[in-house]
Amino acid sequence: MSAPPKPQFSASFLWGASTSAYQIEGAAQEDGRGPSIWDTRCRIEGKVADGGTGDVACDHYHRYAEDIGLMRELGIGAYRFSVAWPRVLPFGRGEVNEKGLDFYDRLIDGLMEAGIEPWLCLYHWDLPQALHELGGWMSRDSAGWFADYTALVARRYGDRVKRWATFNEFNVFTMFGYAIDWAAPGITDRAAHLKAIHHVNLAHGDGVGVLRTLVPDASVGAIHNVQPVLPETDTPEDVAAAALLDEHWNLVFADPHLLGRYPPQTAIAMEPYAQAGDMARICQPLDWLGVNHYGPIFARADPAATWGYGWGSARDDVPSVDIGWTIHPDAFRQTLLAVSRRYGVPVYVTENGCGDPTGAIDDIGRVLFLDAYIRAMGQAMDEGADVRGYFVWSLLDNFEWGAGYTTRFGLIYVDFETLERIPKTSAGWYAALARSGRLPEPGRAG
Ligand code: FCB
């Protein structure tokens, strides 16, 4: 298939970069931060490649000013980061950690001085361990804990931060945390998964309500990982596995948030946990929807798995990045169109990028990946998708969850021994794109 033509993006199209707290901040035991479920998971043997942890990560907690300087050189208009709930509320509720709140004051002020709009995500997977011990997302009380945490953060930063996201990738942390043991807290149980889905939805709705009250001029959205789910083969078993995985992956959050209903199989399964009035709490008007996209997922029947679905392999000869994620820009075009049509709200691509284990600074492979995906996004826009901005994952090489430090997603290389930062070829290329709204020739930017 020939590549779509080079799009020209308008001057108002937003170019940004994304990170998350646990993946970059480090300073895990500093200035009163409490432990999160990921601190706990990293200490369980075999859960993270090479025993990696977020204890130091990129040490962004201390080097944020340098990182803002690098963002300024990139010329990006916006930076998406997350607040670490256990840094500001070490036990998840109750006692407030002023030093933790001060850190995000410094970060936000620095961004604003650099002319970079802060996009604040409230939850990127680091639930305070103390709340997990009270049942975490399996407890209906979690919606109230989240609303209180949202109120604290909104009161503190709402004067400066106008772009708010409730959660990052609802599907990933609920499925991998409560149905498949690939993320914290590593539970594998249908009821736990269903409760987590529903309570996170309630937390989202309540959080939106708090933001509307406390930051009336806020632009509020939520961030979803959306990928087409395809059966590995055409057998009825694989087709059924793909249908259920598609519900759990793509529909059980955005549908209730924006359409006010669960998809069919989940609506039935959720009956024991949903109460009268819940859907009205969950379904709150949103200003935008964030799409994180990497590549299609292939499903296969796996009778031993919690829900009978497992991860299959790509059907055809689709090339993939090192962690097995397929490179399929046209799936990105399709996803953006589908989401834009289904939900009818403006879309921001809040993550897209590729991992590379080699650590190459001349990362031409990443440039080619981004070029292909951004062309596909331009094509989706020409076909009617209402996409308003694009955030690359990620600003910096960082702690990649279960893969630890074995793969690198950054535009900027981080030496994890010395913590030195070195902009890669992709950083110069992305800076040229952010300046002009036009895709530079791969290899000649910088
Ligand atoms: C997404 C996560 C992000 C990062 C990228 C590679 O699923 O939101 O934190 O790990 O994948």
Side-chain angles (χ1 to χ4, degrees), residues 13-14 23 31 47 68 90 235 248 279 370 373 379 432:
F13 191 85
L14 192 61
Q23 294 179 274
D31 284 348
K47 299 297 186 198
I68 294 171
T235 62
H248 290 171
M279 203 43 88
L370 295 176
Y373 272 74
Q379 204 184 1

Side-chain angles (χ1 to χ4, degrees), residues 363-421:
D363 57 343
I364 192 67
R366 175 169 293 103
V367 169
L368 293 172
F369 178 100
L370 295 176
D371 178 84
Y373 272 74
I374 292 168
R375 279 176 199 247
M377 173 175 75
Q379 204 184 1
M381 292 166 70
D382 286 345
E383 292 169 17
D386 182 8
V387 184
R388 308 279 178 95
Y390 174 97
F391 292 68
V392 70
W393 183 273
S394 179
L395 177 69
L396 304 166
D397 291 341
N398 60 47
F399 172 78
E400 177 45 36
W401 309 112
Y405 295 96
T406 60
T407 189
R408 293 167 174 272
F409 276 86
L411 298 181
I412 294 167
Y413 176 87
V414 177
D415 178 328
F416 291 109
E417 297 291 318
T418 63
L419 298 166
E420 187 191 354
R421 277 91 162 123

Side-chain angles (χ1 to χ4, degrees), residues 20 23 80 124-125 168-169 172 225 292 294 325 351 393 398-401 409:
S20 89
Q23 294 179 274
R80 173 170 85 94
H124 201 123
W125 308 357
N168 174 71
E169 296 191 351
V172 175
N225 179 306
N292 295 357
Y294 292 91
W325 300 356
E351 282 184 27
W393 183 273
N398 60 47
F399 172 78
E400 177 45 36
W401 309 112
F409 276 86

